[in-house]
Amino acid sequence: SDLTSTTASSPKSKEDQVVNGHDEKENNPFAEYMWMENEEDFNRQVEEELQEQEFLDRCFQEMLEEEDQDWFIPSRDLPQGIGQLQQQLNGLSVGDGHSSEDILSKSNLNPDAKEFVPGVKY
């Protein structure tokens, strides 16, 4: 008996609900367009949000530029005479080995000493 009552009432309720694409219970068929009534307020709000976003973007960009000034960037911060320094470094040479023997003969280090191990006491 329950099945017959639900089937009999459901088609009728569907017909009652939809008339010309709108619910009968819906008071205003233009409800979805009501935001246009306050279009100026809506536009003003959107413009304020866009201006706020632009302001935040400018602040963020200024912060990045200030941070860049604090960082050391060799290409920007080193003097232009780097080429001269590079030539001087290239002009330096390592000895041919005879000078290292002279250093060893003048050294006061003990060649027979134990190997140094950090943290170990002898």
Side-chain angles (χ1 to χ4, degrees):
S1 66
D2 290 338
L3 289 175
T4 57
S5 65
T6 56
T7 55
S9 64
S10 62
K12 186 178 181 183
S13 64
K14 284 183 185 178
E15 289 174 10
D16 289 344
Q17 281 183 350
V18 180
V19 176
N20 294 332
H22 296 285
D23 291 344
E24 271 189 17
K25 294 178 183 175
E26 187 177 321
N27 296 336
N28 186 354
F30 300 104
E32 64 184 278
Y33 303 104
M34 290 306 292
W35 67 270
M36 292 181 181
E37 179 181 15
N38 301 322
E39 189 172 359
E40 292 82 18
D41 293 337
F42 179 78
N43 287 343
R44 189 177 320 108
Q45 180 184 358
V46 170
E47 285 179 16
E48 287 174 2
E49 289 174 3
L50 289 174
Q51 289 172 351
E52 182 178 346
Q53 184 62 39
E54 183 181 331
F55 175 73
L56 290 174
D57 290 344
R58 278 195 318 251
C59 289
F60 188 71
Q61 189 62 35
E62 287 176 15
M63 182 188 70
L64 288 177
E65 289 170 3
E66 287 175 8
E67 203 172 75
D68 281 347
Q69 291 173 357
D70 293 342
W71 289 354
F72 176 75
I73 301 172
S75 61
R76 180 192 71 191
D77 298 333
L78 288 178
Q80 296 303 319
I82 292 299
Q84 295 172 347
L85 285 175
Q86 188 65 38
Q87 289 175 351
Q88 290 175 354
L89 287 174
N90 289 340
L92 295 176
S93 63
V94 178
D96 56 2
H98 297 296
S99 61
S100 63
E101 291 175 2
D102 294 339
I103 292 173
L104 289 176
S105 65
K106 295 177 185 176
S107 172
N108 348 343
L109 296 176
N110 180 0
D112 299 325
K114 291 182 179 178
E115 181 180 349
F116 172 74
V117 179
V120 174
K121 294 185 179 182
Y122 296 103

